[in-house]
């Protein structure tokens, strides 16, 4: 076993790897950018090395700086985690050339399976069924469009060089192919440095099931059962579980053997995942999609049902050890479910942000624990969540003797989760896990998109405003002590000659209309929580600053200043200001000041946390202001452009024409 291992990653996966290194008595080396100087993974490792500035290209993606850090600290091996350079064959080769062990598969296997086109051809030759689609690499836009038309709508555009749903586009209207191909190439190039695409047939209501494999350098390959990853949004997994309720023992064995053959076909070593698309009505008709040549985000559910530490086995295989178990030794015990906690706003109220990356400082952190509950996290109070890295902050995993118990434990764990200061999807995931289809195991990859709006309340619950008002009311009370208290300083609502009337507070949740709220009910306000009784029901909130959190949901409730709000509105009277829906970087600007635009026309693209958001014209009009250019870093709600409505522009033109006539 190695003496020292450098962890070439950040966040929760770096903390996770450090945990196993510590258990094995191996010295851990963390790396960090300037944005992560005080991050949790830095504090928990035995030593840490600064890589460079915050941008990933100058820190976590710099192979040269990572190798320098390894040499400086005497590391013998590098664990890449997932993301960043985990599936980068050039980095794996660079490690070998520097005399370091890359804790992952051989570089040739990464290259082969990292190219989805070659991967499909390779596993097909090994007898593994694959999804029908385009053939050949380096297809032009026209060739991709021709292949899509030959397959017939709907089709799926996929980057050949990467995974994680980044750059994937479902095209249902073939007349939009040119625009969708351009967007897919742009996202693929930004995410993977390679804009090569392929086209696949879209399978209606499919299930996404993957097989975990382990392979040593001595020719032994086994599988550790399957994980179901069908609950996805924008092709990104958000809930994973093991085992799948869809598979019987015969299908599980068949898929497992197919995964083993896929791994053998590329000379695989270490931990990897073979992903399949499975028709819900015919599980035996599964097809290979791709192979992930790394540890998966969802690996904890496999660990909990098998009792194995996959990071430990990555290390042992990389150190040259043989697998200590055969296929007949693998046993799946109980059921495990994982939820990915991501930094994002979740709202379906008209005009609100929907699902978009968020950010901010973690002001208060509550992470669940207890029987059957595990939390993998890179967070701590004071952590600043920005827009430069992946939005996933933590994972909450629950295990139980059966699926119903695991789901119940996970829902309870998510209700205990609070990350105040940074909006997350924890409350949404808790409600998703209670959806009848999820409880019944009737899953498919489109379920979340179909049901999302019904899993989010369009309005802020009254008890949120009541709790916020209770906190403010408490702050107005004079300190208790001996001596006389001025009755006019007590916020009792007392009025001369009239019935007492509770103090009114003007409150506002960002993105929603302001509310005037007068507190009622019984309150118990503490330093970090507030308890509110409404209609005989007690609601307890965690709180930090303007933030209140309950059952995984969180709200920022600010004091509303109507004067300041009216001045802001007046600054853009007669026009519509388009603001940044999330902190990020402007990557594309398609218009200039003075351009006439149509309603719904794409004007700009803002990217944050590897996700693109198109800023479109809310109505026909003229671009009156344009405050950004490609490469500009923007804050949430920052004004990007102003589009004067067409009717206003026409009215201005008429007034101007009238003035000219009078002058004549």
């Amino acid at each position: 076993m190695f003496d020292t291992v450098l962890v070439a990653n950040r966040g929760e996966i770096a903390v996770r790897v450090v945990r196993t290194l510590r258990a094995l008595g191996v010295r851990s080396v963390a790396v960090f950018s300037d944005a992560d100087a005080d991050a949790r993974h830095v504090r928990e490792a035995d030593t840490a090395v600064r890589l460079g500035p915050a941008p990933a290209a100058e820190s976590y993606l710099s192979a040269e700086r990572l190798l320098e850090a390894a040499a400086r600290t005497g590391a013998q091996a590098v664990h890449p985690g997932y993301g960043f350079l985990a599936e980068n064959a050039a980095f794996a080769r660079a490690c070998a050339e520097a005399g370091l062990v890359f804790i992952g598969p051989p570089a040739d296997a990464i290259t082969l399976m990292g190219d989805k086109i070659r991967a499909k051809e390779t596993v097909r030759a090994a007898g593994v069924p694959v999804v029908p689609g385009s053939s050949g690499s380096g297809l032009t836009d026209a060739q991709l469009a021709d292949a899509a038309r030959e397959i017939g709508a709907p089709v799926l555009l996929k980057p050949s060089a990467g995974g994680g749903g980044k750059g994937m586009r479902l095209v249902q209207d073939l007349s939009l192919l040119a625009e969708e191909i351009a967007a897919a190439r742009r996202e693929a190039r930004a995410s993977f440095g390679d804009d090569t695409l392929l086209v696949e047939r879209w399978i209606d209501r499919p299930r996404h099931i993957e097989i975990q494999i382990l392979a040593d350098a001595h020719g032994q390959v086994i599988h550790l059962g399957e994980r179901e990853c069908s609950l996805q949004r924008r092709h990104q997994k958000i809930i994973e579980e093991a085992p799948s309720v869809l598979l019987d023992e015969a299908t599980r064995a068949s898929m497992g053997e197919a995964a083993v053959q896929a791994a053998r076909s590329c000379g695989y070593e270490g931990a990897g995942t073979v992903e399949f698309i499975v028709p819900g009505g015919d599980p035996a008709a599964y097809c290979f999609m791709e192979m992930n040549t790394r540890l998966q985000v969802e690996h904890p559910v496999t660990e909990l049902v098998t009792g194995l530490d996959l990071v430990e086995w990555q290390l042992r295989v990389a150190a040259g050890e043989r697998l200590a178990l055969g296929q007949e030794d693998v046993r799946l015990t109980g059921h495990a479910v994982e939820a990915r906690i991501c930094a994002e706003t979740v709202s379906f109220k008209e005009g609100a942000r929907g699902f978009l990356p968020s950010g901010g400082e973690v002001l208060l952190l509550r992470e669940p624990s207890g029987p059957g509950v595990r939390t993998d996290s890179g967070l701590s109070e004071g952590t600043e969540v920005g827009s430069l890295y992946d939005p996933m902050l933590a994972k909450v995993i629950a295990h139980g003797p059966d699926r119903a118990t695991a789901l119940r434990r996970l829902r309870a764990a998510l209700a205990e989760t609070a990350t105040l200061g940074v909006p997350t999807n924890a409350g949404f995931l808790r409600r998703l896990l209670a959806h009848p289809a999820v409880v019944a195991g009737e899953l498919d990859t489109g379920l979340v998109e179909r049901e999302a709006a019904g899993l989010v309340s369009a309005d802020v619950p009254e008890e949120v405003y009541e709790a916020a008002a209770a906190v403010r009311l408490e702050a107005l009370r004079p300190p208790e002590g001996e001596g006389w208290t001025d009755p006019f300083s007590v916020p009792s609502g007392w009025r001369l000659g009239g019935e007492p009337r509770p103090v009114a507070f003007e409150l506002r949740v960002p993105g929603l209309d302001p509310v005037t709220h007068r507190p009622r009910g019984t309150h118990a306000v503490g330093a970090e929580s507030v308890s509110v009784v409404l209609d005989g029901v007690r609601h307890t909130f965690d709180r930090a600053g303007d933030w209140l959190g309950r059952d995984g949901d969180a709200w920022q409730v600010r004091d509303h200043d109507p004067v300041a709000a009216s001045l802001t509105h007046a600054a853009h009277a007669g026009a519509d200001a388009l603001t940044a829906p999330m902190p990020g970087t402007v990557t594309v600007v398609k218009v200039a000041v003075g351009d006439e635009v149509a309603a719904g026309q794409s004007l700009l693209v803002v990217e944050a946390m590897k996700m693109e958001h198109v800023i479109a014209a809310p109505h026909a009009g003229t671009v009156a202001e344009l405050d950004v250019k490609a490469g500009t870093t923007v804050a949430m709600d920052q004004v990007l452009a102003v589009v004067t409505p067409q009717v206003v522009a026409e009215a201005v033109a008429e007034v101007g024409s009238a003035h000219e006539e009078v002058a004549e």
Side-chain angles (χ1 to χ4, degrees), residues 490-509:
V490 179
S492 63
W494 177 82
R495 294 187 301 164
L496 182 64
E499 290 294 324
R501 190 178 186 189
V503 178
F505 295 94
E506 292 285 332
L507 305 173
R508 183 171 184 269
V509 172

Side-chain angles (χ1 to χ4, degrees), residues 240-258:
E240 303 98 352
E241 60 182 297
S244 168
V245 297
L246 182 67
L247 304 189
D248 57 25
E249 286 300 328
T251 307
R252 177 173 295 114
S254 176
M255 289 182 70
E257 180 57 28

Side-chain angles (χ1 to χ4, degrees), residues 631-651:
T632 300
T633 299
V634 296
M636 184 179 291
D637 295 327
Q638 179 176 331
V639 175
L640 307 176
V642 175
V643 177
T644 304
Q646 193 170 29
V647 290
V648 174
E650 290 172 353

Side-chain angles (χ1 to χ4, degrees), residues 242-296:
S244 168
V245 297
L246 182 67
L247 304 189
D248 57 25
E249 286 300 328
T251 307
R252 177 173 295 114
S254 176
M255 289 182 70
E257 180 57 28
V260 167
Q261 292 306 317
R264 290 189 186 280
S265 72
C266 67
Y268 201 83
E269 296 174 17
T273 304
V274 181
E275 305 201 353
F276 295 91
I277 197 81
V278 183
D282 185 11
Y286 58 84
C287 290
F288 170 89
M289 285 197 303
E290 62 189 35
M291 183 174 187
N292 288 295
T293 55
R294 54 171 167 80
L295 195 68
Q296 290 280 87

